[in-house]
Amino acid sequence: MRILLYRADGNTGPWIEDFARWLPEAEMVAWQEGADCGPCDYAITWGAPEPALKELAKVKAIFLGGAGADAILKHEDAIPRHVPIVRLGDAGMAIQMAEYVLHAVLRYFRRFDEYEAQARAGQWSPLPQHSREDFAIGVLGAGVLGSRVLDALKPFGFPLHAWSRSAKQIEGVRCHHGEEGLDALLRKARVLVCMLPLTPDTANLLNRTNLGKLPQGAYLINVARGAHVAEPDLLTLMKSGHIAGATLDVFRNEPLPVQHPFWQEPRITITPHISALTQRSESVQQIADKIRKLEKGETIADVVNREQGY
Ligand code: NAP
Ligand code: GLV
């Protein structure tokens, strides 16, 4: 069995070592532009450079080194429909998302963002507490990562809401779906957490109209994709005071350009797309298991639905 490996950072060595441990029967081939990689059974990639696409089109399945499929689906037309695209399902990312979102929610609930600003200005001034009942959290996307985040929030007693494509029942969470469901969630959520995949249906969802439905003084946490947010609309709503703060891990252009106005807005907390990092060893084990199943003709989880775009 031959497996083609592409990594944008070129650091294929540690991945090849892990595959030697978890799938020793496979010969790993690091993709290099211009080099003949020969016939491969499977490919492991994230996005793919244009010249690699014709190799990806020939394999039995393409495995992604992440949860989101938007980067590879930009090249959808180059990948025949019979080639499954398989994303990572958790593989160590869900707990990191839970840590990240919980930290941001508690920071806003306990007003630590304001105390940080006060401390920088040498001020000692206790602020009124936020009320827990009025601090509803709305999570957009209740999939692998969203549901783990909801679980992490449960012990704190905030009213919890979730929005998904299909109707769901999650204990302790008010579940919404469809357009009406989105409206209901937005009107309640004091903190809006975006955990959606980026698809034609979800791009620009966090625009002036939708963010404007949030209660006055709401907070936004975006850990999904930058293109979910209409960036100028967010800035307008922050300047008017409608949105009190935002924690953003993802951006339309990454790295976020130095001249981007987000850097100048002190109420925006910026992190460099680190909310849930790919865990190499867990990912390799998961991919190795899935490859073994496919070789035995069994079905596997986390196959991207091309119609739905995630
Ligand atoms: P997932 O398991 O596929 O869950 C996606 C959720 O979004 C599902 O609940 C789905 O609804 C819902 N959804 C999709 N389209 C929708 C629509 N049009 N309307 C309403 N709900 C919709 O994905 P995941 O593993 O949780 O990952 C989510 C995203 O997180 C990834 O796509 C990726 O972009 C992002 N991510 C970011 C980082 C980071 O470091 N910043 C790391 C990992 C992942 P159904 O349940 O009805 O299908
Ligand atoms: C990271 O952003 C991922 O989708 O895994």
Side-chain angles (χ1 to χ4, degrees), residues 46 65-68 93 224-225 273 276 278:
W46 177 241
M93 283 186 280
R225 287 291 183 264
H273 201 140
T278 297

PDB file of all heavy atoms in Angstrom, residues 46 65-68 93 224-225 273 276 278, ligand 2:
ATOM      1  N   TRP A  46      -4.199  18.521   3.423  1.00  0.00           N
ATOM      2  CA  TRP A  46      -5.084  19.507   4.066  1.00  0.00           C
ATOM      3  C   TRP A  46      -5.721  20.227   2.899  1.00  0.00           C
ATOM      4  O   TRP A  46      -6.569  19.662   2.239  1.00  0.00           O
ATOM      5  CB  TRP A  46      -4.225  20.387   4.989  1.00  0.00           C
ATOM      6  CG  TRP A  46      -4.977  21.473   5.658  1.00  0.00           C
ATOM      7  CD1 TRP A  46      -4.765  22.810   5.536  1.00  0.00           C
ATOM      8  CD2 TRP A  46      -6.063  21.311   6.567  1.00  0.00           C
ATOM      9  NE1 TRP A  46      -5.679  23.492   6.305  1.00  0.00           N
ATOM     10  CE2 TRP A  46      -6.477  22.603   6.941  1.00  0.00           C
ATOM     11  CE3 TRP A  46      -6.742  20.210   7.090  1.00  0.00           C
ATOM     12  CZ2 TRP A  46      -7.532  22.828   7.813  1.00  0.00           C
ATOM     13  CZ3 TRP A  46      -7.791  20.440   7.962  1.00  0.00           C
ATOM     14  CH2 TRP A  46      -8.172  21.730   8.324  1.00  0.00           C
ATOM     15  N   GLY A  65      -6.010  16.331   7.161  1.00  0.00           N
ATOM     16  CA  GLY A  65      -5.334  16.476   8.456  1.00  0.00           C
ATOM     17  C   GLY A  65      -6.023  17.500   9.341  1.00  0.00           C
ATOM     18  O   GLY A  65      -5.392  18.166  10.159  1.00  0.00           O
ATOM     19  N   GLY A  66      -7.321  17.674   9.186  1.00  0.00           N
ATOM     20  CA  GLY A  66      -8.076  18.623   9.996  1.00  0.00           C
ATOM     21  C   GLY A  66      -9.552  18.284   9.962  1.00  0.00           C
ATOM     22  O   GLY A  66      -9.971  17.325   9.286  1.00  0.00           O
ATOM     23  N   ALA A  67     -10.352  19.100  10.674  1.00  0.00           N
ATOM     24  CA  ALA A  67     -11.793  18.824  10.750  1.00  0.00           C
ATOM     25  C   ALA A  67     -12.566  19.476   9.607  1.00  0.00           C
ATOM     26  O   ALA A  67     -13.574  18.951   9.143  1.00  0.00           O
ATOM     27  CB  ALA A  67     -12.334  19.328  12.087  1.00  0.00           C
ATOM     28  N   GLY A  68     -12.114  20.634   9.171  1.00  0.00           N
ATOM     29  CA  GLY A  68     -12.841  21.367   8.136  1.00  0.00           C
ATOM     30  C   GLY A  68     -12.432  20.888   6.749  1.00  0.00           C
ATOM     31  O   GLY A  68     -11.265  20.612   6.501  1.00  0.00           O
ATOM     32  N   MET A  93      -9.034  17.236  19.047  1.00  0.00           N
ATOM     33  CA  MET A  93      -9.344  18.659  18.861  1.00  0.00           C
ATOM     34  C   MET A  93     -10.487  19.130  19.761  1.00  0.00           C
ATOM     35  O   MET A  93     -10.539  20.288  20.162  1.00  0.00           O
ATOM     36  CB  MET A  93      -9.700  18.936  17.400  1.00  0.00           C
ATOM     37  CG  MET A  93      -8.471  18.986  16.515  1.00  0.00           C
ATOM     38  SD  MET A  93      -8.856  19.478  14.838  1.00  0.00           S
ATOM     39  CE  MET A  93      -9.456  17.947  14.201  1.00  0.00           C
ATOM     40  N   ALA A 224     -14.362  29.020  14.046  1.00  0.00           N
ATOM     41  CA  ALA A 224     -14.685  28.171  12.893  1.00  0.00           C
ATOM     42  C   ALA A 224     -13.850  28.588  11.681  1.00  0.00           C
ATOM     43  O   ALA A 224     -12.765  28.031  11.451  1.00  0.00           O
ATOM     44  CB  ALA A 224     -16.180  28.231  12.624  1.00  0.00           C
ATOM     45  N   ARG A 225     -14.329  29.560  10.916  1.00  0.00           N
ATOM     46  CA  ARG A 225     -13.565  30.087   9.787  1.00  0.00           C
ATOM     47  C   ARG A 225     -13.796  31.593   9.697  1.00  0.00           C
ATOM     48  O   ARG A 225     -14.908  32.076   9.978  1.00  0.00           O
ATOM     49  CB  ARG A 225     -14.016  29.439   8.465  1.00  0.00           C
ATOM     50  CG  ARG A 225     -13.578  27.992   8.301  1.00  0.00           C
ATOM     51  CD  ARG A 225     -12.062  27.854   8.103  1.00  0.00           C
ATOM     52  NE  ARG A 225     -11.664  26.469   7.887  1.00  0.00           N
ATOM     53  CZ  ARG A 225     -11.218  25.643   8.827  1.00  0.00           C
ATOM     54  NH1 ARG A 225     -11.088  26.069  10.085  1.00  0.00           N
ATOM     55  NH2 ARG A 225     -10.864  24.413   8.531  1.00  0.00           N
ATOM     56  N   HIS A 273      -5.217  31.104  14.953  1.00  0.00           N
ATOM     57  CA  HIS A 273      -5.789  29.827  14.493  1.00  0.00           C
ATOM     58  C   HIS A 273      -5.206  28.646  15.292  1.00  0.00           C
ATOM     59  O   HIS A 273      -4.655  27.694  14.736  1.00  0.00           O
ATOM     60  CB  HIS A 273      -5.541  29.644  12.985  1.00  0.00           C
ATOM     61  CG  HIS A 273      -6.484  28.674  12.333  1.00  0.00           C
ATOM     62  ND1 HIS A 273      -7.030  28.877  11.093  1.00  0.00           N
ATOM     63  CD2 HIS A 273      -6.978  27.473  12.747  1.00  0.00           C
ATOM     64  CE1 HIS A 273      -7.812  27.858  10.768  1.00  0.00           C
ATOM     65  NE2 HIS A 273      -7.795  26.994  11.768  1.00  0.00           N
ATOM     66  N   ALA A 276      -7.939  24.749  18.151  1.00  0.00           N
ATOM     67  CA  ALA A 276      -7.844  23.275  18.202  1.00  0.00           C
ATOM     68  C   ALA A 276      -6.830  22.841  17.153  1.00  0.00           C
ATOM     69  O   ALA A 276      -7.113  22.832  15.962  1.00  0.00           O
ATOM     70  CB  ALA A 276      -9.197  22.642  17.935  1.00  0.00           C
ATOM     71  N   THR A 278      -4.258  20.291  15.202  1.00  0.00           N
ATOM     72  CA  THR A 278      -4.205  18.873  14.826  1.00  0.00           C
ATOM     73  C   THR A 278      -3.183  18.161  15.711  1.00  0.00           C
ATOM     74  O   THR A 278      -2.050  18.623  15.858  1.00  0.00           O
ATOM     75  CB  THR A 278      -3.800  18.738  13.337  1.00  0.00           C
ATOM     76  OG1 THR A 278      -4.814  19.358  12.552  1.00  0.00           O
ATOM     77  CG2 THR A 278      -3.661  17.277  12.925  1.00  0.00           C
TER      78      THR A 278
HETATM   79  C1  GLV B   2      -8.661  23.490  11.599  1.00  0.00           C
HETATM   80  O1  GLV B   2      -8.972  24.614  11.380  1.00  0.00           O
HETATM   81  C2  GLV B   2      -9.446  22.338  11.235  1.00  0.00           C
HETATM   82  O2  GLV B   2     -10.440  22.480  10.513  1.00  0.00           O
HETATM   83  O3  GLV B   2      -9.068  21.235  11.682  1.00  0.00           O
END
